[in-house]
Amino acid sequence: MAININGINISSTGTSLSVANGATTWLGVSSGGVVTRPQTPYMRAVLSGQGSFYRALTVTFGSVISNVGSCWNNSTGIWTCPVAGYYLVTMGGLASGSGQGVTGYGYFYIFKNGSIAHFSHWNNATSWDYCSLSAVLSCAANDTINFRIISGPADNSGSGGWYGGGDHGQFGIALVT
Amino acid sequence: MGLDISGSTILAAGSGLTINSGFSINASGYAAPTNLPGYSGYRSGGSLYYSTGSGWIINGTSWNSIALNTSTGVFTCPVAGFYAVGFNGIAIGYGTEISYGYAGFGKNGALSYYIHWNLADGNAWQQSGGSSVFNCAVNDTLSFYINQSPSPAATAAITNNRGWYPDNHHAVWCILIG
């Protein structure tokens, strides 16, 4: 049995339920009640081939692994929210220490609409320091999200950064269920 | 055109759908709830590196569904469900005897998971963080603790005011995921 609402089909196969536009499933509910949303806007990217001490006012990636919905623009380093909702934002990587002969401290940020939403700090006198930051942002349609990594003080004048090779820096954005 | 099932509605919205006005699917198939319980925040200002009372007081937020009490840091679950939590910040030890610390979320004042940092140089900084998912009943509470019971109590760290750097240099969040 199926119900058509303005061209959108709500149908049942056995004991599962799906909401679909033609052949494209928007929402599924399994027989066990598990809800899936195959069109969920999502990106995952890594620092790759970007040097030993990567830093940037707007982070871009050597490798974008997934970009469902094409919300991430890797030329500009900007994610544009396609709909209002709650977006999980994550970043993690390996930051420089002063024992490596470079600046051993810096800051890393999650920006929303060009303003700081959340940030943290690393300060390491010896070797590499694993850093991570995650947050959920409440966004309207067309709000933007981006990442920043700076070495040293706020003017990004330091010589350190995050290890930019070998996929050591992992970043992700996804619309939360 | 739409469907009404004993007061629950599924309605056309442009080229998409809305379900009970709180869940929308747009013309590209992006499905999103519009009113999830949760928050994303930080301890704004202050000079205390560890939590007291009912937990780390998250008094600054980028958003808050009102379930977080920004005076106490206690999040009260408005509905039963699975709540994802996350926390990331920068920790510091003190001297060689207090180079360690603990942090984690507790449910109803009892700790389920925690992290531990242990610095070779107690005066050094170290990034730390974690995440987990809690299965909660309505009115269960979730709070974040640093060097304070029910997390392992680092008494010497409290005496010397050591733990996580406050003043916005971290993020703590919680959201209903299912």
Side-chain angles (χ1 to χ4, degrees):
Chain A
M1 177 184 174
I3 298 170
N4 186 301
I5 299 177
N6 209 29
I8 309 304
N9 282 312
I10 302 174
S11 61
S12 175
T13 55
T15 53
S16 64
L17 188 74
S18 72
V19 178
N21 181 12
T24 303
T25 299
W26 284 359
L27 180 76
V29 184
S30 76
S31 57
V34 178
V35 177
T36 55
R37 301 172 302 143
Q39 310 308 318
T40 296
Y42 162 73
M43 70 80 79
R44 186 167 81 88
V46 296
L47 298 177
S48 178
Q50 293 170 266
S52 296
F53 305 108
Y54 179 76
R55 55 191 179 275
L57 297 181
T58 305
V59 171
T60 58
F61 301 104
S63 176
V64 177
I65 296 168
S66 183
N67 192 10
V68 177
S70 300
C71 304
W72 177 257
N73 183 330
N74 202 45
S75 298
T76 62
I78 299 291
W79 167 280
T80 302
C81 299
V83 294
Y86 302 91
Y87 290 81
L88 175 63
V89 186
T90 66
M91 61 189 301
L94 207 52
S96 60
S98 57
Q100 295 160 305
V102 296
T103 306
Y105 73 97
Y107 297 85
F108 47 106
Y109 305 79
I110 296 169
F111 274 72
K112 175 185 163 185
N113 293 332
S115 299
I116 298 169
H118 295 281
F119 74 96
S120 194
H121 175 50
W122 85 87
N123 192 339
N124 191 0
T126 54
S127 189
W128 297 98
D129 187 11
Y130 184 77
C131 300
S132 60
L133 182 64
S134 63
V136 175
L137 302 183
S138 177
C139 295
N142 297 316
D143 278 356
T144 61
I145 298 169
N146 66 280
F147 303 99
R148 174 173 293 183
I149 300 168
I150 65 170
S151 173
D155 62 0
N156 195 25
S157 59
S159 56
W162 284 21
Y163 189 71
D167 302 348
H168 284 58
Q170 304 264 349
F171 297 71
I173 303 173
L175 180 65
V176 177
T177 299
Chain B
M1 178 184 176
L3 190 63
D4 187 315
I5 306 172
S6 300
S8 293
T9 58
I10 303 174
L11 302 174
S15 298
L17 293 175
T18 62
I19 302 174
N20 278 354
S21 76
F23 189 90
S24 300
I25 311 175
N26 79 353
S28 297
Y30 302 149
T34 54
N35 192 23
L36 282 180
Y39 69 91
S40 199
Y42 42 82
R43 171 112 181 189
S44 181
S47 56
L48 202 60
Y49 284 51
Y50 58 91
S51 63
T52 60
S54 51
W56 186 247
I57 297 174
I58 310 298
N59 57 357
T61 60
S62 61
W63 70 279
N64 177 14
S65 65
I66 306 178
L68 172 71
N69 184 324
T70 54
S71 297
T72 63
V74 175
F75 177 86
T76 303
C77 302
V79 296
F82 298 95
Y83 289 80
V85 300
F87 50 98
N88 301 89
I90 183 166
I92 188 172
Y94 182 79
T96 54
E97 66 169 318
I98 325 157
S99 60
Y100 62 92
Y102 303 89
F105 262 86
K107 184 175 100 171
N108 297 327
L111 205 71
S112 295
Y113 315 96
Y114 62 89
I115 61 165
H116 178 199
W117 60 90
N118 198 335
L119 300 162
D121 174 358
N123 290 309
W125 298 91
Q126 182 174 313
Q127 266 290 310
S128 53
S131 58
S132 54
V133 176
F134 289 90
N135 184 0
C136 295
V138 63
N139 293 324
D140 276 353
T141 61
L142 296 171
S143 302
F144 180 59
Y145 299 91
I146 303 170
N147 283 343
Q148 178 214 354
S149 179
S151 85
T155 307
I158 291 173
T159 302
N160 292 281
N161 192 23
R162 284 298 184 264
W164 264 24
Y165 191 79
D167 196 21
N168 305 15
H169 285 57
H170 52 273
V172 181
W173 56 268
C174 167
I175 192 165
L176 178 70
I177 58 170

